[in-house]
Amino acid sequence: MITRITTSSRIAAAFIRNGSLAAFPTETVYGLGADAFNEKAVRKIFIAKGRPSDNPLIVHITSTSEIERLAKRIPATAEKFIATFFPGPLTIILPKRENVSPLITAGLFTVGIRMPGHTVTQKFLHECGTPVVAPSANRSGRPSPTTWQAVKHDLDGRIACILKDDQTEVGLESTVVDCTGSIPIILRAGAVTLEQLRKIIPATRVADHLRHGVRAAKSPGLKYRHYAPKARVAIVSSPEEIPPATASAYIGLAQPVSRHTLKLVRVCRNLSDYAHSLFLFFRQCDEAHVQRIYCQVVPDTGLGLALMDRIMRASQK
Ligand code: TXA
Ligand code: MG
């Protein structure tokens, strides 16, 4: 298959309507889209990515009126989050309607719904004229793509189209919040922070796996999904802790005093810049044959919770 690379959202949307796969930008990471109401198309996603079929997909929408086609009911907690954070980098888990394919939900009775905020994404989704399921557009296990070139690297020849745009703004995947119970639970940390969600619903909490993942850094029994580069990822509290070694790289907020043998260095301006840069840096390290990537730790508050979650998972190999 020849992958068409285009800047036209109209062309990319035509592939979705024809039952093919098209990758597209969002404010978080690039997604790999298929028509949510075409099972044959949805099945192609798992093949193209090499994704295990027990991992459910997020449905992307452009208008809140579409939620009723997908969700059986919208609890009051979800209503409040939707009113505040849609469109944006937040995915809400709701009880699903019967017409939502079990392929999308991995057999669960719930469905993840997100309305992206990026203008290009909204235009593309609008032209698709149907809800679009989309996981991150990477080969399974690899870091999520934040550039169209990263999508091409992973999926060229395996998908019909890539809608080409700039590097994504946030750089980490959306916050996933389960709104099916009385207390909203964050299943995946992201750009919409725990603190922001608590301003709307103070009882909101973080799933245990996330807390323990961040806090119990070296606990061996815990299972993580990987967002992993080929290099080994290690966490340091300051760049001065990095042992001199060839083929190492560093990303963090503090400037290393001496760059000794570091092959690649990325000093980030602030937390948002760190999040924005992390996955691309991982991929650049792979291309430069870096063997060890040192990531500077940040406090697990605000965006730091999502950032540390991704770094922790990448470090568990
Ligand atoms: O920012 C994002 O969310 C990107 C862009 C493309 O929108 N998408 C993305 O999709 O990261 P993916 O498939 O890589 O991650 C989806 C996450 C997975 O952790 C999945 O387990 C969870 O959302 N998820 C989806 N539906 C779910 C459900 N019904 N219940 C629980 N978790 C769900
Ligand atoms: Mg993913």
Side-chain angles (χ1 to χ4, degrees):
M1 182 190 307
I2 292 176
T3 302
R4 170 110 183 236
I5 298 174
T6 178
T7 54
S8 160
S9 55
R10 196 179 42 79
I11 292 173
F15 281 105
I16 298 287
R17 288 199 306 273
N18 291 337
S20 299
L21 303 185
F24 61 96
T26 79
E27 70 271 51
T28 58
V29 299
Y30 276 75
L32 178 60
D35 179 350
F37 290 115
N38 180 339
E39 276 217 347
K40 253 173 103 178
V42 176
R43 196 162 282 136
K44 289 179 188 168
I45 286 182
F46 294 90
I47 298 163
K49 280 193 57 131
R51 182 183 176 103
S53 58
D54 61 356
N55 196 359
L57 302 172
I58 296 169
V59 185
H60 296 70
I61 58 169
T62 44
S63 138
T64 48
S65 63
E66 288 170 286
I67 301 174
E68 282 154 37
R69 276 177 79 194
L70 303 159
K72 195 148 69 180
R73 67 193 166 80
I74 308 175
T77 52
E79 295 258 20
K80 287 186 187 162
F81 286 150
I82 289 164
T84 317
F85 301 107
F86 274 26
L90 182 70
T91 297
I92 292 187
I93 307 294
L94 297 174
K96 84 172 192 82
R97 267 195 196 281
E98 260 147 46
N99 60 340
V100 178
S101 163
L103 225 90
I104 294 176
T105 63
L108 299 172
F109 293 104
T110 57
V111 60
I113 301 174
R114 154 158 141 78
M115 187 193 292
H118 186 47
T119 346
V120 175
T121 322
Q122 287 180 350
K123 188 158 182 280
F124 164 74
L125 290 174
H126 200 77
E127 283 161 343
C128 289
T130 174
V132 170
V133 282
S136 49
N138 51 283
R139 289 295 282 270
S140 222
R142 300 267 299 138
S144 294
T146 55
T147 62
W148 67 268
Q149 293 94 334
V151 179
K152 182 171 188 297
H153 179 275
D154 277 19
L155 297 173
D156 196 20
R158 305 177 69 90
I159 62 175
C161 180
I162 298 172
L163 176 56
K164 178 176 158 180
D165 190 39
D166 297 335
Q167 183 171 354
T168 61
E169 191 186 324
V170 176
L172 304 178
E173 307 85 348
S174 64
T175 305
V176 177
V177 62
D178 183 348
C179 291
T180 58
S182 52
I183 294 172
I185 299 173
I186 297 180
L187 303 180
R188 181 175 72 183
V192 174
T193 64
L194 171 65
E195 293 83 349
Q196 282 175 300
L197 293 173
R198 279 192 173 154
K199 269 198 192 137
I200 309 301
I201 298 170
T204 305
R205 58 182 193 81
V206 161
D208 288 343
H209 68 89
L210 244 167
R211 273 285 167 222
H212 295 137
V214 172
R215 292 267 156 79
K218 281 164 192 141
S219 173
L222 289 166
K223 274 241 173 238
Y224 294 93
R225 270 182 50 229
H226 299 161
Y227 293 79
K230 293 188 195 105
R232 290 195 71 85
V233 173
I235 300 168
V236 290
S237 47
S238 116
E240 306 324 308
E241 282 174 22
I242 302 172
T246 49
S248 296
Y250 164 79
I251 182 167
L253 296 173
Q255 176 88 46
V257 176
S258 85
R259 293 194 170 203
H260 43 74
T261 53
L262 288 171
K263 234 179 157 176
L264 283 177
V265 173
R266 179 76 166 83
V267 180
C268 308
R269 290 188 304 279
N270 49 39
L271 273 190
S272 317
D273 186 33
Y274 197 166
H276 172 77
S277 313
L278 184 73
F279 287 153
L280 181 59
F281 188 73
F282 280 173
R283 284 171 178 267
Q284 287 165 341
C285 287
D286 280 350
E287 271 160 42
H289 304 290
V290 164
Q291 276 160 18
R292 242 169 214 284
I293 306 171
Y294 294 92
C295 300
Q296 189 184 17
V297 73
V298 296
D300 61 359
T301 52
L303 187 57
L305 184 68
L307 192 52
M308 285 316 296
D309 170 62
R310 303 312 189 276
I311 293 172
M312 287 293 311
R313 292 182 198 222
S315 72
Q316 311 278 323
K317 270 208 177 176

